Short mmCIF file of all heavy atoms in Angstrom, two decimals:
data_model
loop_
_atom_site.label_atom_id
_atom_site.label_comp_id
_atom_site.label_asym_id
_atom_site.label_seq_id
_atom_site.Cartn_x
_atom_site.Cartn_y
_atom_site.Cartn_z
N GLN A 40 0.83 -1.21 0.00
CA GLN A 40 0.00 0.00 0.00
C GLN A 40 0.87 1.26 0.00
O GLN A 40 0.55 2.24 -0.69
CB GLN A 40 -0.93 0.01 1.20
CG GLN A 40 -1.86 1.22 1.24
CD GLN A 40 -2.93 1.11 2.32
OE1 GLN A 40 -2.92 0.19 3.13
NE2 GLN A 40 -3.87 2.03 2.32
N LYS A 41 1.95 1.22 0.73
CA LYS A 41 2.84 2.38 0.79
C LYS A 41 3.40 2.71 -0.59
O LYS A 41 3.41 3.88 -1.01
CB LYS A 41 3.99 2.12 1.78
CG LYS A 41 4.96 3.28 1.90
CD LYS A 41 6.10 2.95 2.86
CE LYS A 41 7.10 4.08 2.93
NZ LYS A 41 8.27 3.74 3.80
N PHE A 42 3.86 1.68 -1.32
CA PHE A 42 4.44 1.94 -2.63
C PHE A 42 3.37 2.35 -3.64
O PHE A 42 3.56 3.29 -4.42
CB PHE A 42 5.19 0.72 -3.15
CG PHE A 42 5.77 0.92 -4.52
CD1 PHE A 42 6.91 1.71 -4.69
CD2 PHE A 42 5.18 0.36 -5.64
CE1 PHE A 42 7.43 1.93 -5.96
CE2 PHE A 42 5.71 0.56 -6.91
CZ PHE A 42 6.84 1.35 -7.06
N THR A 43 2.24 1.66 -3.63
CA THR A 43 1.15 2.00 -4.55
C THR A 43 0.69 3.43 -4.33
O THR A 43 0.48 4.19 -5.29
CB THR A 43 -0.03 1.03 -4.36
OG1 THR A 43 0.42 -0.32 -4.57
CG2 THR A 43 -1.15 1.34 -5.35
N THR A 44 0.56 3.81 -3.07
CA THR A 44 0.13 5.17 -2.74
C THR A 44 1.14 6.19 -3.22
O THR A 44 0.77 7.26 -3.73
CB THR A 44 -0.08 5.30 -1.22
OG1 THR A 44 -1.06 4.35 -0.79
CG2 THR A 44 -0.54 6.70 -0.85
N LYS A 45 2.44 5.87 -3.08
CA LYS A 45 3.47 6.81 -3.54
C LYS A 45 3.35 7.06 -5.04
O LYS A 45 3.44 8.20 -5.50
CB LYS A 45 4.86 6.30 -3.20
CG LYS A 45 5.95 7.26 -3.67
CD LYS A 45 7.29 6.94 -3.11
CE LYS A 45 8.33 7.98 -3.54
NZ LYS A 45 8.11 9.31 -2.93
N ILE A 46 3.16 5.99 -5.81
CA ILE A 46 3.04 6.14 -7.26
C ILE A 46 1.81 6.97 -7.61
O ILE A 46 1.86 7.89 -8.44
CB ILE A 46 3.00 4.77 -7.95
CG1 ILE A 46 4.31 4.01 -7.73
CG2 ILE A 46 2.73 4.92 -9.44
CD1 ILE A 46 5.54 4.70 -8.26
N VAL A 47 0.69 6.66 -6.99
CA VAL A 47 -0.54 7.41 -7.27
C VAL A 47 -0.37 8.88 -6.90
O VAL A 47 -0.77 9.78 -7.66
CB VAL A 47 -1.74 6.79 -6.52
CG1 VAL A 47 -2.95 7.72 -6.56
CG2 VAL A 47 -2.10 5.44 -7.12
N GLN A 48 0.25 9.16 -5.76
CA GLN A 48 0.44 10.54 -5.35
C GLN A 48 1.37 11.29 -6.31
O GLN A 48 1.16 12.48 -6.59
CB GLN A 48 0.99 10.60 -3.92
CG GLN A 48 -0.04 10.22 -2.86
CD GLN A 48 0.54 10.20 -1.46
OE1 GLN A 48 1.75 10.13 -1.27
NE2 GLN A 48 -0.33 10.25 -0.45
N MET A 49 2.39 10.60 -6.82
CA MET A 49 3.27 11.22 -7.82
C MET A 49 2.48 11.60 -9.06
O MET A 49 2.64 12.70 -9.61
CB MET A 49 4.40 10.27 -8.20
CG MET A 49 5.51 10.13 -7.19
SD MET A 49 6.81 9.03 -7.80
CE MET A 49 7.43 9.95 -9.20
N MET A 50 1.65 10.70 -9.52
CA MET A 50 0.86 10.97 -10.72
C MET A 50 -0.14 12.11 -10.45
O MET A 50 -0.34 12.97 -11.31
CB MET A 50 0.11 9.71 -11.15
CG MET A 50 1.00 8.53 -11.53
SD MET A 50 2.15 8.85 -12.89
CE MET A 50 3.71 8.95 -11.99
N LYS A 51 -0.74 12.12 -9.28
CA LYS A 51 -1.68 13.19 -8.94
C LYS A 51 -0.96 14.54 -8.87
O LYS A 51 -1.48 15.56 -9.36
CB LYS A 51 -2.36 12.90 -7.60
CG LYS A 51 -3.47 11.87 -7.66
CD LYS A 51 -4.16 11.76 -6.30
CE LYS A 51 -5.34 10.82 -6.33
NZ LYS A 51 -6.02 10.74 -5.01
N TYR A 52 0.21 14.55 -8.27
CA TYR A 52 0.96 15.80 -8.13
C TYR A 52 1.28 16.41 -9.49
O TYR A 52 1.25 17.63 -9.67
CB TYR A 52 2.25 15.55 -7.35
CG TYR A 52 3.10 16.78 -7.15
CD1 TYR A 52 2.80 17.70 -6.15
CD2 TYR A 52 4.20 17.02 -7.97
CE1 TYR A 52 3.57 18.84 -5.98
CE2 TYR A 52 4.98 18.16 -7.81
CZ TYR A 52 4.66 19.06 -6.82
OH TYR A 52 5.43 20.19 -6.65
N GLU A 53 1.57 15.53 -10.46
CA GLU A 53 1.89 15.98 -11.82
C GLU A 53 0.65 16.13 -12.68
O GLU A 53 0.75 16.42 -13.87
CB GLU A 53 2.88 15.00 -12.47
CG GLU A 53 4.20 14.84 -11.75
CD GLU A 53 5.09 16.06 -11.88
OE1 GLU A 53 4.81 16.90 -12.77
OE2 GLU A 53 6.05 16.18 -11.10
N LYS A 54 -0.54 15.91 -12.08
CA LYS A 54 -1.83 16.00 -12.79
C LYS A 54 -1.86 15.11 -14.03
O LYS A 54 -2.18 15.55 -15.14
CB LYS A 54 -2.14 17.46 -13.16
CG LYS A 54 -2.24 18.39 -11.96
CD LYS A 54 -2.70 19.77 -12.37
CE LYS A 54 -2.74 20.72 -11.17
NZ LYS A 54 -3.59 20.24 -10.05
N LEU A 55 -1.55 13.85 -13.83
CA LEU A 55 -1.41 12.92 -14.95
C LEU A 55 -2.57 11.95 -15.09
O LEU A 55 -2.61 11.19 -16.06
CB LEU A 55 -0.08 12.16 -14.83
CG LEU A 55 1.16 13.03 -14.99
CD1 LEU A 55 2.43 12.22 -14.75
CD2 LEU A 55 1.20 13.69 -16.37
N PHE A 56 -3.50 11.94 -14.14
CA PHE A 56 -4.69 11.12 -14.34
C PHE A 56 -5.66 11.87 -15.26
O PHE A 56 -5.71 13.11 -15.26
CB PHE A 56 -5.35 10.79 -13.00
CG PHE A 56 -4.62 9.76 -12.21
CD1 PHE A 56 -3.86 10.11 -11.10
CD2 PHE A 56 -4.67 8.42 -12.58
CE1 PHE A 56 -3.16 9.16 -10.37
CE2 PHE A 56 -3.97 7.45 -11.86
CZ PHE A 56 -3.22 7.82 -10.75
N GLU A 57 -6.41 11.13 -16.03
CA GLU A 57 -7.35 11.73 -16.98
C GLU A 57 -8.35 12.64 -16.28
O GLU A 57 -8.78 13.65 -16.84
CB GLU A 57 -8.07 10.64 -17.75
CG GLU A 57 -8.90 11.13 -18.93
CD GLU A 57 -8.04 11.51 -20.13
OE1 GLU A 57 -6.81 11.31 -20.09
OE2 GLU A 57 -8.61 12.03 -21.10
N SER A 58 -8.70 12.30 -15.05
CA SER A 58 -9.62 13.14 -14.28
C SER A 58 -9.03 14.51 -13.97
O SER A 58 -9.76 15.43 -13.61
CB SER A 58 -9.98 12.43 -12.96
OG SER A 58 -8.80 12.11 -12.23
N GLN A 59 -7.70 14.64 -14.14
CA GLN A 59 -7.01 15.92 -13.92
C GLN A 59 -6.58 16.57 -15.24
O GLN A 59 -5.88 17.57 -15.25
CB GLN A 59 -5.76 15.71 -13.06
CG GLN A 59 -6.01 15.05 -11.72
CD GLN A 59 -4.70 14.67 -11.04
OE1 GLN A 59 -3.98 13.78 -11.49
NE2 GLN A 59 -4.39 15.35 -9.95
N GLY A 60 -6.98 15.95 -16.36
CA GLY A 60 -6.53 16.43 -17.66
C GLY A 60 -5.29 15.74 -18.17
O GLY A 60 -4.71 16.14 -19.18
N GLY A 61 -4.85 14.68 -17.49
CA GLY A 61 -3.67 13.92 -17.91
C GLY A 61 -4.03 12.76 -18.81
O GLY A 61 -5.19 12.56 -19.18
N PRO A 62 -3.05 11.93 -19.15
CA PRO A 62 -3.28 10.84 -20.10
C PRO A 62 -3.71 9.52 -19.49
O PRO A 62 -4.13 8.61 -20.22
CB PRO A 62 -1.92 10.69 -20.78
CG PRO A 62 -0.95 11.04 -19.69
CD PRO A 62 -1.61 12.13 -18.87
N ILE A 63 -3.60 9.33 -18.17
CA ILE A 63 -3.84 8.02 -17.57
C ILE A 63 -5.34 7.77 -17.49
O ILE A 63 -6.05 8.44 -16.73
CB ILE A 63 -3.21 7.90 -16.17
CG1 ILE A 63 -1.70 8.15 -16.23
CG2 ILE A 63 -3.48 6.52 -15.58
CD1 ILE A 63 -1.04 8.25 -14.87
N ILE A 64 -5.82 6.79 -18.25
CA ILE A 64 -7.25 6.48 -18.26
C ILE A 64 -7.58 5.20 -17.51
O ILE A 64 -8.74 4.93 -17.20
CB ILE A 64 -7.79 6.35 -19.70
CG1 ILE A 64 -7.03 5.25 -20.47
CG2 ILE A 64 -7.72 7.69 -20.42
CD1 ILE A 64 -7.63 4.91 -21.81
N LEU A 65 -6.57 4.38 -17.23
CA LEU A 65 -6.76 3.12 -16.51
C LEU A 65 -5.58 2.89 -15.58
O LEU A 65 -4.46 3.30 -15.88
CB LEU A 65 -6.84 1.93 -17.47
CG LEU A 65 -8.12 1.61 -18.23
CD1 LEU A 65 -7.86 0.43 -19.16
CD2 LEU A 65 -9.26 1.30 -17.28
N SER A 66 -5.83 2.18 -14.49
CA SER A 66 -4.75 1.68 -13.64
C SER A 66 -5.05 0.23 -13.27
O SER A 66 -6.22 -0.17 -13.20
CB SER A 66 -4.60 2.51 -12.37
OG SER A 66 -3.98 3.76 -12.65
N GLN A 67 -4.00 -0.51 -13.05
CA GLN A 67 -4.15 -1.92 -12.66
C GLN A 67 -3.58 -2.13 -11.27
O GLN A 67 -2.51 -1.63 -10.94
CB GLN A 67 -3.44 -2.85 -13.64
CG GLN A 67 -3.53 -4.32 -13.25
CD GLN A 67 -2.87 -5.24 -14.26
OE1 GLN A 67 -3.29 -5.32 -15.39
NE2 GLN A 67 -1.80 -5.90 -13.84
N ILE A 68 -4.31 -2.90 -10.46
CA ILE A 68 -3.80 -3.32 -9.16
C ILE A 68 -3.66 -4.84 -9.19
O ILE A 68 -4.50 -5.54 -9.77
CB ILE A 68 -4.73 -2.86 -8.00
CG1 ILE A 68 -4.02 -3.00 -6.65
CG2 ILE A 68 -6.06 -3.59 -8.02
CD1 ILE A 68 -2.89 -2.01 -6.46
N GLU A 69 -2.58 -5.35 -8.58
CA GLU A 69 -2.22 -6.76 -8.68
C GLU A 69 -2.01 -7.15 -10.15
O GLU A 69 -2.06 -6.31 -11.04
CB GLU A 69 -3.23 -7.68 -7.99
CG GLU A 69 -2.71 -8.28 -6.68
CD GLU A 69 -1.45 -9.14 -6.84
OE1 GLU A 69 -1.22 -9.68 -7.93
OE2 GLU A 69 -0.71 -9.28 -5.87
N ASN A 70 -1.72 -8.44 -10.39
CA ASN A 70 -1.41 -8.87 -11.76
C ASN A 70 -1.50 -10.39 -11.85
O ASN A 70 -0.74 -11.09 -11.19
CB ASN A 70 0.00 -8.41 -12.15
CG ASN A 70 0.32 -8.72 -13.60
OD1 ASN A 70 -0.40 -8.29 -14.49
ND2 ASN A 70 1.39 -9.46 -13.83
N GLU A 71 -2.45 -10.86 -12.65
CA GLU A 71 -2.61 -12.30 -12.89
C GLU A 71 -2.63 -13.10 -11.58
O GLU A 71 -2.00 -14.15 -11.47
CB GLU A 71 -1.50 -12.81 -13.81
CG GLU A 71 -1.54 -12.17 -15.20
CD GLU A 71 -0.54 -12.79 -16.16
OE1 GLU A 71 0.50 -13.31 -15.70
OE2 GLU A 71 -0.79 -12.75 -17.37
N TYR A 72 -3.34 -12.57 -10.61
CA TYR A 72 -3.39 -13.24 -9.31
C TYR A 72 -4.35 -14.42 -9.29
O TYR A 72 -4.20 -15.34 -8.48
CB TYR A 72 -3.79 -12.23 -8.22
CG TYR A 72 -3.72 -12.76 -6.81
CD1 TYR A 72 -2.50 -13.12 -6.25
CD2 TYR A 72 -4.87 -12.90 -6.04
CE1 TYR A 72 -2.43 -13.60 -4.95
CE2 TYR A 72 -4.81 -13.38 -4.74
CZ TYR A 72 -3.59 -13.73 -4.19
OH TYR A 72 -3.52 -14.21 -2.92
N GLY A 73 -5.35 -14.40 -10.17
CA GLY A 73 -6.38 -15.44 -10.14
C GLY A 73 -5.84 -16.84 -10.21
O GLY A 73 -6.33 -17.75 -9.54
N ALA A 74 -4.77 -17.04 -11.01
CA ALA A 74 -4.20 -18.38 -11.15
C ALA A 74 -3.56 -18.87 -9.86
O ALA A 74 -3.42 -20.08 -9.65
CB ALA A 74 -3.16 -18.37 -12.27
N ASP A 75 -3.17 -17.95 -8.98
CA ASP A 75 -2.50 -18.33 -7.73
C ASP A 75 -3.45 -18.36 -6.52
O ASP A 75 -3.06 -18.79 -5.44
CB ASP A 75 -1.36 -17.34 -7.42
CG ASP A 75 -0.25 -17.40 -8.46
OD1 ASP A 75 -0.17 -18.42 -9.17
OD2 ASP A 75 0.52 -16.44 -8.55
N THR A 76 -4.67 -17.88 -6.72
CA THR A 76 -5.58 -17.72 -5.59
C THR A 76 -5.79 -19.02 -4.83
O THR A 76 -5.82 -19.06 -3.59
CB THR A 76 -6.95 -17.18 -6.06
OG1 THR A 76 -6.74 -15.93 -6.73
CG2 THR A 76 -7.88 -16.96 -4.89
#
């Protein structure tokens, strides 16, 4: 959570999410976890 939050805050600070007029329209959390569940 600490690392994920840092990345999100960096993107927010630079106004890079689409909701801020930036290019980021999607984000992914975790990755191909279903096979390991």
Side-chain angles (χ1 to χ4, degrees):
Q40 182 171 7
K41 180 182 177 183
F42 178 75
T43 303
T44 301
K45 180 168 184 69
I46 296 300
V47 168
Q48 288 177 342
M49 284 182 65
M50 298 301 107
K51 282 185 176 182
Y52 180 80
E53 300 288 344
K54 299 187 183 303
L55 294 175
F56 286 105
E57 190 76 5
S58 56
Q59 304 171 292
I63 302 172
I64 59 171
L65 281 177
S66 285
Q67 178 178 296
I68 194 69
E69 252 300 335
N70 185 57
E71 297 187 333
Y72 186 65
D75 295 340
T76 302

